[in-house]
Amino acid sequence: MTAYDKVRAARAKGRATAVDYIEEIFEEFTEMHGDRRFGDDKSVVAGLAWLGGFAVTVVGIEKGRNIKERSQRNSGSAHPEGYRKALRQMKLAEKFCRPVVCFVDTPGAYCGIGAEERGQGQAIAENLTEMMTLKTPIISVVIGEGGSGGALALSVADEVWMLENAIYSVISPEGCASILWKDASRANEASECLRLTAADLYGFNVIEKIFPERDEKFSLIKAELISTIEKNKAIPQAELLESRYKRFRKIGATI
């Protein structure tokens, strides 16, 4: 598959969404709503669940599984209140010593006037800052599109994983082609230049694991989540935070 083939696969109709992963992997998921400032953004699903006998906080960017849901969830383009809802749940996870698991699937944060007026950039920046020093284990999994700051706002983690046909990039191929060549039809070429595939990013040490697309009931991801969280819970807090900091500091150092 070419890079743009993987872009199309990541966006494909019928691809499993964050809600599908939550329903299959976790037990007794209880969704929490709202950011306590403005409202409840349905693009972000967040709440409490059980995994392997311990409580976790789960956050996912949800695109929707049909036309009606996609309309309600803004096709996974979150507003600032969505990121603030996610951070509110992560801070509660820290308070009660619960690990955090994030599922990322977004073309990017919503860039409408209302979102900008309510502080979209600030909400994303606050998530980046707070997640870097969150005193509990964090794992993020890119399950489809990992677009720009909208994806990064849930990806400051101890480990970042990707599905085989997922993508993770600073900009969409169409956006990149429009900026560089004033021609969005050159998205195929831009995809190759962006190095946005899981294999590329694994080679750059941006991510730690790649999972196959055919993973019945996401059993491989579930097993890895349980194993990794158990391992990270045993790491002293100061050491965990230092490791997370160094993980991001070394990205790009050998490129």
Side-chain angles (χ1 to χ4, degrees):
M1 294 176 71
T2 67
Y4 199 58
D5 286 336
K6 299 214 168 189
V7 171
R8 284 191 285 259
R11 297 169 174 171
K13 182 180 178 180
R15 187 179 180 85
T17 67
V19 167
D20 294 315
Y21 283 82
I22 292 170
E23 289 176 350
E24 288 290 346
I25 292 173
F26 302 94
E27 302 167 18
E28 299 180 37
F29 175 70
T30 302
E31 186 175 356
M32 309 295 281
H33 298 274
D35 68 341
R36 299 281 179 91
R37 297 190 195 181
F38 180 80
D40 184 43
D41 183 0
K42 295 184 183 298
S43 300
V44 176
V45 177
L48 315 178
W50 289 91
L51 175 67
F54 46 82
V56 297
T57 288
V58 185
V59 181
I61 303 180
E62 172 63 27
K63 284 185 172 181
R65 295 177 284 193
N66 52 52
I67 293 175
K68 182 178 179 181
E69 285 187 8
R70 283 179 175 263
S71 176
Q72 292 173 338
R73 299 187 186 276
N74 207 32
S75 296
S77 291
H79 293 77
E81 49 269 24
Y83 294 113
R84 292 183 179 125
K85 172 169 67 172
L87 182 57
R88 184 166 79 88
Q89 293 306 315
M90 287 189 274
K91 295 298 285 184
L92 284 173
E94 178 183 56
K95 180 178 180 179
F96 294 105
C97 302
R98 290 191 299 263
V100 176
V101 179
C102 298
F103 293 100
V104 177
D105 187 14
T106 177
Y110 187 60
C111 57
I113 292 175
E116 295 299 327
E117 288 175 340
R118 297 193 299 277
Q120 184 71 287
Q122 182 184 26
I124 292 172
E126 190 175 5
N127 275 34
L128 304 184
T129 302
E130 294 290 342
M131 289 181 76
M132 185 61 74
T133 57
L134 199 75
K135 299 179 181 68
T136 194
I138 312 171
I139 297 174
S140 292
V141 188
V142 183
I143 58 174
E145 287 187 277
S148 194
L152 190 60
L154 292 184
S155 301
V156 179
D158 303 306
E159 293 192 19
V160 177
W161 305 343
M162 287 180 70
L163 269 290
E164 188 177 13
N165 291 338
I167 59 172
Y168 190 27
S169 174
V170 68
I171 192 172
S172 70
E174 294 81 5
C176 177
S178 296
I179 292 171
L180 291 182
W181 303 301
K182 312 300 181 188
D183 183 1
S185 68
R186 295 177 68 177
N188 196 328
E189 185 179 348
S191 297
E192 299 293 340
C193 296
L194 285 167
R195 306 297 292 273
L196 44 62
T197 70
D200 288 329
L201 294 162
Y202 183 80
F204 293 144
N205 295 318
V206 173
I207 65 170
E208 280 73 26
K209 291 184 176 72
I210 301 173
F211 290 88
E213 294 291 326
R214 294 185 179 183
D215 179 9
E216 188 175 354
K217 296 189 176 180
F218 317 121
S219 57
L220 293 176
I221 294 177
K222 180 175 182 177
E224 280 296 322
L225 282 172
I226 293 170
S227 173
T228 304
I229 288 173
E230 286 179 339
K231 177 193 72 177
N232 288 353
K233 284 178 70 176
I235 298 173
Q237 193 176 90
E239 185 180 329
L240 183 73
L241 295 180
E242 180 67 14
S243 176
R244 189 183 304 158
Y245 175 77
K246 287 182 177 178
R247 178 191 182 278
F248 284 89
R249 289 292 292 174
K250 72 181 181 181
I251 289 176
T254 59
I255 295 175

